[in-house]
Amino acid sequence: QVQLEESGGGLVQPGGSLTLSCSASGIILSLTNRGWYRQPPGKERELVASIAKGGIINYADSVKGRFTISSISGDTSKDVVSLQMNELTPEDTAVYYCHAVGVYGTYWGQGTQVTVSP
């Protein structure tokens, strides 16, 4: 099993920045893809950014050039994926979910709220 723990959400003004972090623990060597999804109010959950084990990175068109996903692999018991978010707009307001895919299944974090408002 894999456990995902998110941190870093909050309230920020338009144009501001936030960094989200997701720490994975458990059978992390089984993971093949890590990423972030978000669900804006009243909308479907959507992919924000993902990073595959080989280093291939994908971004949603709406965040390209503003968001950066990165992975820090420490020892075999922990792995952290961060999402640096710059030039935030009210349209980025959503619950952000950490996501991981591995050979044993798909995993989600509990979600962290990001609110962009004056």
Side-chain angles (χ1 to χ4, degrees):
Q1 290 294 327
V2 173
Q3 296 77 42
L4 302 177
E5 184 175 356
E6 301 137 334
S7 61
L11 173 65
V12 64
Q13 293 186 342
S17 299
L18 275 178
T19 300
L20 306 181
S21 293
C22 176
S23 177
S25 59
I27 313 176
I28 61 172
L29 293 180
S30 70
L31 298 179
T32 57
N33 189 286
R34 299 283 304 280
W36 290 90
Y37 282 69
R38 68 184 181 187
Q39 187 164 16
K43 295 185 179 180
E44 297 290 321
R45 192 174 297 189
E46 60 185 11
L47 174 69
V48 177
S50 67
I51 182 167
K53 197 168 187 177
I56 296 174
I57 293 175
N58 288 305
Y59 292 102
D61 288 342
S62 59
V63 307
K64 283 181 180 177
R66 300 188 298 123
F67 290 12
T68 302
I69 189 170
S70 59
S71 175
I72 301 174
S73 297
D75 58 34
T76 56
S77 65
K78 187 172 287 185
D79 180 273
V80 178
V81 170
S82 294
L83 185 69
Q84 173 67 43
M85 305 184 294
N86 299 323
E87 301 175 29
L88 286 161
T89 73
E91 288 67 39
D92 295 314
T93 295
V95 178
Y96 284 71
Y97 295 91
C98 180
H99 177 255
V101 178
V103 296
Y104 300 114
T106 299
Y107 308 93
W108 292 94
Q110 78 283 1
T112 185
Q113 177 70 44
V114 172
T115 302
V116 185
S117 179

